Amino acid sequence: MSQLRADLAFAIRRWLREPLFAAGALITLALGIGANTATFSLLHGILLEPLPSPEADRLVLVWEVDDRGRSMRVSTPNFEDWKAQATSFAELASFSKANETTVLGGGEPVRATQSLVGRGFFEALAVPVQLGRTFVEEEQTENAPDTVVLSDRFWRQVLGAPADLESLRLQVSGVDHRVVGVLPPGVELPEDADLWTPKEIYPDTSDRTAHNWRVVGRLAPGFAETAAATEMSVIARRLREQHGSPRSR
């Protein structure tokens, strides 16, 4: 059992590139339209810092599994089907890895890491902001004005912790963004993220072979891990029957 846990921990670290957060326990759910059943495991002690989130042990990471048993990021159509059909999650949200970008607005240009996050991301984490707010609905639509949420580290170390966010603007990858909120210390999903921006402002027409996204979810009240795994296995089989086996890309 200890070797299995070690192997699963290694696989998760590889998939995420870096450890994300510790919650005392992290539930990981591997499923996919190529799998007949879901692999559902409760892992302890594989991550570094505690996430300041209520009931953090109900947070899950979800990914696809192909016919060879390899874990993959999630395609947009599959994620949308999961979100529409699953009832065992209070929130289910997609997000990207943290990519390096250039940021202007804090004096000298700096390199920072930016993650695109979908609707429900901050609600899944359930972490209250320390300043400002997270994104509202009208900011999570195609061609909406560009907004950004900052990590505590970036806000303090790069910007000097300004208390007034109303007039604070940053140029991220050459585009002006209005700063709407700052997260508390210790929130780094994905690892070392400095900035979060809404993914919905960019049109996404990718198909089921484009495995671009990571997925985080929070189990709904009254749902145990086993019940969620069973439900997602049913959805996985249904999608496989409708769309065929996933292909790695």
Side-chain angles (χ1 to χ4, degrees):
M1 188 67 181
S2 60
Q3 184 58 49
L4 173 61
R5 179 171 293 172
D7 291 344
L8 287 170
F10 174 79
I12 291 168
R13 282 197 172 102
R14 184 177 180 184
W15 179 69
L16 294 167
R17 298 287 184 180
E18 297 287 347
L20 300 182
F21 52 77
L26 172 66
I27 302 167
T28 63
L29 177 61
L31 55 104
I33 61 175
N36 291 325
T37 58
T39 301
F40 200 94
S41 303
L42 187 63
L43 302 182
H44 296 265
I46 66 167
L47 303 172
L48 298 180
E49 298 294 337
L51 181 75
S53 172
E55 295 186 298
D57 59 347
R58 297 186 67 76
L59 289 172
V60 300
L61 298 174
V62 192
W63 64 92
E64 294 188 57
V65 175
D66 68 10
D67 287 333
R68 299 181 184 180
R70 297 175 300 184
S71 62
M72 303 180 294
R73 296 189 181 101
V74 181
S75 71
T76 294
N78 287 344
F79 168 74
E80 290 175 348
D81 284 337
W82 292 354
K83 192 161 186 174
Q85 297 178 34
T87 61
S88 51
F89 296 98
E91 294 289 348
L92 199 62
S94 57
F95 65 101
S96 74
K97 68 177 182 179
N99 293 297
E100 280 202 354
T101 187
T102 299
V103 180
L104 299 173
E108 295 293 321
V110 297
R111 297 294 290 174
T113 54
Q114 173 193 14
S115 176
L116 302 178
V117 298
R119 291 186 187 90
F121 178 81
F122 295 113
E123 290 77 6
L125 298 188
V127 176
V129 295
Q130 66 168 311
L131 191 64
R133 57 173 175 79
T134 56
F135 307 124
V136 295
E137 181 64 26
E138 53 266 30
E139 294 165 346
Q140 296 172 295
T141 59
E142 190 173 336
N143 299 319
D146 292 280
T147 52
V148 61
V149 170
L150 308 179
S151 70
D152 174 80
R153 179 185 59 246
F154 187 89
W155 176 64
R156 292 182 186 277
Q157 296 180 5
V158 177
L159 302 181
D164 180 17
L165 300 184
E166 287 296 320
S167 58
L168 185 58
R169 301 290 187 273
L170 295 178
Q171 193 177 90
V172 182
S173 300
V175 178
D176 288 332
H177 287 66
R178 183 165 63 93
V179 178
V180 298
V182 180
L183 296 186
V187 180
E188 296 182 0
L189 180 64
E191 174 75 359
D192 291 334
D194 297 308
L195 317 168
W196 294 267
T197 53
K199 68 184 285 285
E200 289 85 5
I201 66 174
Y202 306 106
D204 185 351
T205 59
S206 59
D207 62 20
R208 294 182 192 271
T209 67
H211 302 275
N212 297 323
W213 302 100
R214 305 171 186 195
V215 173
V216 63
R218 177 175 288 273
L219 291 174
F223 278 87
E225 306 93 74
T226 51
T230 299
E231 180 186 44
M232 294 302 271
S233 292
V234 171
I235 294 172
R237 289 194 295 271
R238 184 186 304 138
L239 294 180
R240 180 187 175 93
E241 291 170 358
Q242 292 174 348
H243 305 288
S245 176
R247 289 175 291 169
S248 300
R249 176 169 161 180

